[in-house]
Amino acid sequence: MKQWYEKKYFNRMYWIFEEMENLNLTHTQLCLILLVQYLNETHSMISFDVLRNKLNKSEEEIDDLLDQLHQKGYLQIDVTPKGFDISIDGLFQMENELHFESNIFDLFESEFKRPLSSRELQRISEWLHLYDETSITFALRDASMRNILNFDYINRILENGAHEEDKQ
């Protein structure tokens, strides 16, 4: 079974930015983590030259940064003939996992009685950045009770709820 941070709806970059104050990283370490994530997402080769050029650091500084992050358990490095593979999965294996995200996606699949499309998963992810989990769950339950299970209707419920809070 995939970990919560390996699921297709999970946006690693968003999570890194949202959790960066809890990660205990220097700015340079954070830049390296973000660069590695970007290179992994784009299936680009990772090498000392690429990291050195992108971060404007010496090979020794890159080596030190990689060692520091490896010591923290945030990344795993595997040497390959063409460069090296770096996994930042260790970064996501913190104690304060975002359990609610996994649960809300499961809740939607349960209510809709089918797997969600990638667009629907993305839409829920966007809602999680705009609304709290309770509001999203309430909107889903409201739509379900009215037997109007579609994402546009749920979105209208969320928008109307946000507008009513603004009026108060």
Side-chain angles (χ1 to χ4, degrees):
M1 184 172 185
K2 286 187 174 184
Q3 296 293 321
W4 59 272
Y5 54 85
E6 295 173 323
K7 297 199 177 182
K8 63 183 174 181
Y9 56 76
F10 183 73
N11 187 314
R12 289 174 169 229
M13 294 286 217
Y14 284 170
W15 187 90
I16 291 168
F17 282 114
E18 288 174 1
E19 295 294 318
M20 69 181 169
E21 67 272 6
N22 299 322
L23 297 174
N24 195 25
L25 295 172
T26 67
H27 291 105
T28 308
Q29 290 171 337
L30 179 62
C31 286
L32 178 64
I33 290 282
L34 292 170
L35 176 59
V36 167
Q37 177 58 32
Y38 168 77
L39 293 171
N40 283 336
E41 279 184 13
T42 59
H43 306 288
S44 300
M45 185 182 74
I46 301 175
S47 68
F48 273 111
D49 287 338
V50 170
L51 298 176
R52 188 172 41 81
N53 291 334
K54 295 285 186 188
L55 295 174
N56 197 25
K57 299 286 182 190
S58 70
E59 193 168 318
E60 184 177 289
E61 290 172 307
I62 297 296
D63 191 42
D64 287 343
L65 286 168
L66 291 171
D67 186 52
Q68 293 163 10
L69 293 169
H70 180 71
Q71 293 289 329
K72 289 183 178 190
Y74 286 168
L75 51 87
Q76 177 70 33
I77 303 169
D78 294 317
V79 179
T80 67
K82 295 182 180 180
F84 42 91
D85 292 327
I86 301 177
S87 168
I88 63 167
D89 288 354
L91 183 70
F92 304 101
Q93 296 168 348
M94 297 173 51
E95 294 230 359
N96 61 345
E97 294 179 1
L98 301 175
H99 295 291
F100 73 90
E101 285 197 33
S102 176
N103 293 339
I104 194 140
F105 290 100
D106 292 342
L107 181 63
F108 268 81
E109 287 189 345
S110 174
E111 286 295 324
F112 277 75
K113 296 178 178 45
R114 63 173 173 77
L116 300 174
S117 71
S118 60
R119 176 65 191 126
E120 291 168 335
L121 293 168
Q122 181 62 38
R123 194 149 188 203
I124 296 169
S125 286
E126 292 167 2
W127 287 340
L128 286 168
H129 287 85
L130 299 172
Y131 309 101
D132 63 89
E133 181 185 359
T134 305
S135 298
I136 298 168
T137 303
F138 173 79
L140 174 62
R141 296 287 187 218
D142 188 24
S144 181
M145 287 182 348
R146 296 172 192 273
N147 205 23
I148 308 174
L149 279 175
N150 74 58
F151 277 75
D152 289 334
Y153 185 74
I154 295 168
N155 192 60
R156 284 193 301 275
I157 293 170
L158 288 167
E159 288 176 346
N160 289 339
H163 291 303
E164 287 182 24
E165 287 179 12
D166 290 340
K167 291 177 186 176
Q168 293 176 0

